[in-house]
Amino acid sequence: MSTRDSDLQGPAWDLTAEYASLDSSELQSDLDRASALMDEMEALTPELGEAGSPSAAGSPSAAGSPSAAGSPSAAGAISAAQRVRKLADDADVLLRNVAVFVRCLLSVNSRNEAAQVLNGRLRSYQQRYADLLQPLTQFCDLADEQTIDAYLSDPQVAPCAFLVRHSRERCHELLSLPEESLVNGLSRDGIHAWGNLYDQLSGTLSCKVLLDNEQREMGLAEASGLLQKQDDRLRRSSWQAINQAWEGHEETCAAAINAIAGWRLELCRKRSLRRPVHFLDAPVHMNRIQRDTLEALLQVAGEHRELARRAARLQAAAYGKTAIGPWDSRAPAPVISQDQGPGIAFADAVRLIADAYGGVHPEMGDFVRMMVQNRWIEGTRGNSKRPGAYCTGFAKSRTPRVYMTYTGGASDVITLAHELGHAYHSWVMRDLPESQRSYGMSLAETASTFGETLVRDAMLQNASSAQTRLEVAWEEMSALVTFVLNIPTRFEFEKKFYERRQERPLRPAELKSLMSEVWITWYGDAVSEPDPLFWASKLHFYISGLSFYNFPYLFGYLFSLGLYARRQAADTNFYPRYVALLRDTGRMTAENLADRHLNTDIRKPEFWRDALGALAPRVDAFEDLLRDVGRAPAH
Ligand SMILES: [Zn+2]
């Protein structure tokens, strides 16, 4: 039985149900309609100001202020706000629909000129939409309780109650209206300029990598691609070359990271008039979790450091080393046999995933087959395709799409399972009001990681070759090391940096020694040396729009593992509870979600301990597997 190359490739997706083409009249009429809706929003804006700017700006929580819901001006503002909300929802659906269509076309062919042009045009629509939404956001944050109750009493507006109330939890931080708009205006050339500077730098920096005994100059993106190669020495020299390039710009990076943190800390100070505002308040709130939950999570990660270090040492042993290097975080499984097998045909991958999903409930297997039958998956191998994989969806039809490049490797199957998990998540939410269908980053990976774990287990059981088993188990171990050692390293560095930054900016040498110190705290002897320039080379520290872009990864990973552990505990009622949980991800905090659907308090360590504890036998199994293929460490 041989698998032909063409069977390995995935199918092309079908987008024509949304728009026939870029110049379809339906697409143009959607944009025209969005414009008309935004005109109406604009016309209503002056009426909104009346309840949005009362004395409430000084004391937003003071109920019963003069502009309370009963007064005539407040009544006008409330009905204007309700109308703006509905107009905005309608415009948002249309704009997102076109944006997703354009993005899909550009992913398949990044040189699609017409799509590029429309993308540029679309940006001005999106900017206008964002500007027009501002007054409504301010109204919702600043109005008194009575006004908000009246605003939410409209049945069409009521579904956004969670979003409104959740946002208002931070209204004690608000400055006056003119101050807020001043901060907003200045941020473009303030904090965001530092982020842009970093992006410019990383996009134009080059480094010299020793390749086949020859120094080759290349961009950082190409050099970091080499970190995924089999050759241990090549990974090491690429990492060294990348760090050398960053070291040449360490003053610039230090200026940027100090300015970004300084801006945020100064804003926290200014916002602390009513109640002290901590630099972790914003990221924690944005992820819809509490500080206690974050602390429990990190505590349990710390308790399981040794388990993750063991996984790292086993990976090192597979490469004939005693410890991994900082250049190994994306190292592939070593090749243990030349017999690589024919690859997994796309149809076989779909069968495998549908069976694994269907093992939870037949509906989940049917969903996978439906995605294929409807041609909602893009998996071809095109030359102009953009790299990567994602799941998206059309707002009008509420149908998901999965994008990837399928070539028949074990990791492609896992990627497909992951993206189908995202698609399933959006599918079970398809009948909900628009305002309840978006979730924070902490819960965004719930269904994807769950689906990935299901399929990985199935592959470990059914894989015919030792090489495939090794590749599947390898990814599982890499995830453990990344989430339990690397992510906490990033978090602890950022936290300690913010604490010290309150006194003064840190010098590059101080940033390097802080990073090394934290690195060793987490990795211990599982790593041969720390990565002192990680604060410069890691883009995540320079995203000016959000801070602490690290712990949500750890949360998402452990939350779905915890869910998986629940499923394995032979809970017969698991499936309906799982679907109910997914459906509530857009209208609840993570604590309430876990309390309602899992009967657990995630502010306490137990849930997280169960999640990570379930991985110990997996590390044992990985060691057995290495022993079978003669790569286990000597005891
Ligand atoms: Zn994902």
Side-chain angles (χ1 to χ4, degrees), residues 299-482:
Q299 181 199 323
V300 174
E303 290 169 6
H304 289 78
R305 256 191 289 231
E306 201 37 56
L307 181 69
R309 287 176 185 170
R310 212 184 122 212
R313 280 192 291 262
L314 287 170
Q315 287 192 312
Y319 268 104
K321 310 190 282 189
T322 52
I324 57 167
W327 51 85
D328 285 330
S329 59
R330 286 187 292 146
V335 174
I336 50 163
S337 90
Q338 291 312 309
D339 175 28
Q340 287 276 23
I344 304 162
F346 186 79
D348 293 333
V350 169
R351 210 168 300 131
L352 198 149
I353 296 169
D355 286 348
Y357 270 50
V360 179
H361 192 275
E363 267 175 29
M364 285 181 71
D366 292 344
F367 170 78
V368 172
R369 284 181 285 268
M370 179 197 72
M371 286 292 292
V372 179
Q373 274 150 17
N374 289 345
R375 299 180 59 201
W376 287 346
I377 301 172
E378 163 61 46
T380 59
R381 267 184 285 183
N383 284 334
S384 319
K385 273 183 80 167
R386 284 185 176 164
Y390 63 81
C391 172
T392 185
F394 287 103
K396 279 168 74 180
S397 62
R398 295 188 164 186
T399 56
R401 295 293 186 286
V402 161
Y403 175 88
M404 68 176 298
T405 297
Y406 186 88
T407 60
S411 67
D412 288 341
V413 182
I414 293 170
T415 301
L416 181 58
H418 179 100
E419 299 307 333
L420 283 170
H422 282 303
Y424 185 69
H425 193 166
S426 74
W427 186 250
V428 300
M429 295 174 95
R430 69 190 180 283
D431 60 321
L432 297 178
E434 208 54 59
S435 58
Q436 298 184 355
R437 294 179 74 231
S438 60
Y439 29 77
M441 189 190 163
S442 56
L443 293 170
E445 297 299 329
T446 307
S448 55
T449 312
F450 183 83
E452 192 183 321
T453 312
L454 275 173
V455 169
R456 204 182 266 144
D457 272 3
M459 287 176 87
L460 277 175
Q461 274 162 24
N462 304 328
S464 52
S465 78
Q467 181 70 40
T468 305
R469 273 204 303 282
L470 180 66
E471 280 171 23
V472 175
W474 185 270
E475 288 205 27
E476 192 171 48
M477 295 301 112
S478 296
L480 174 60
V481 173
T482 299

Side-chain angles (χ1 to χ4, degrees), residues 53 69 147 162 175 214 220 289-290 292 330 366 428 450 539 549 633:
S53 59
T147 304
F162 168 74
L175 306 172
E214 222 180 292
L220 290 188
I289 65 171
Q290 293 174 10
D292 295 350
R330 286 187 292 146
D366 292 344
V428 300
F450 183 83
L539 160 84
Y549 195 60

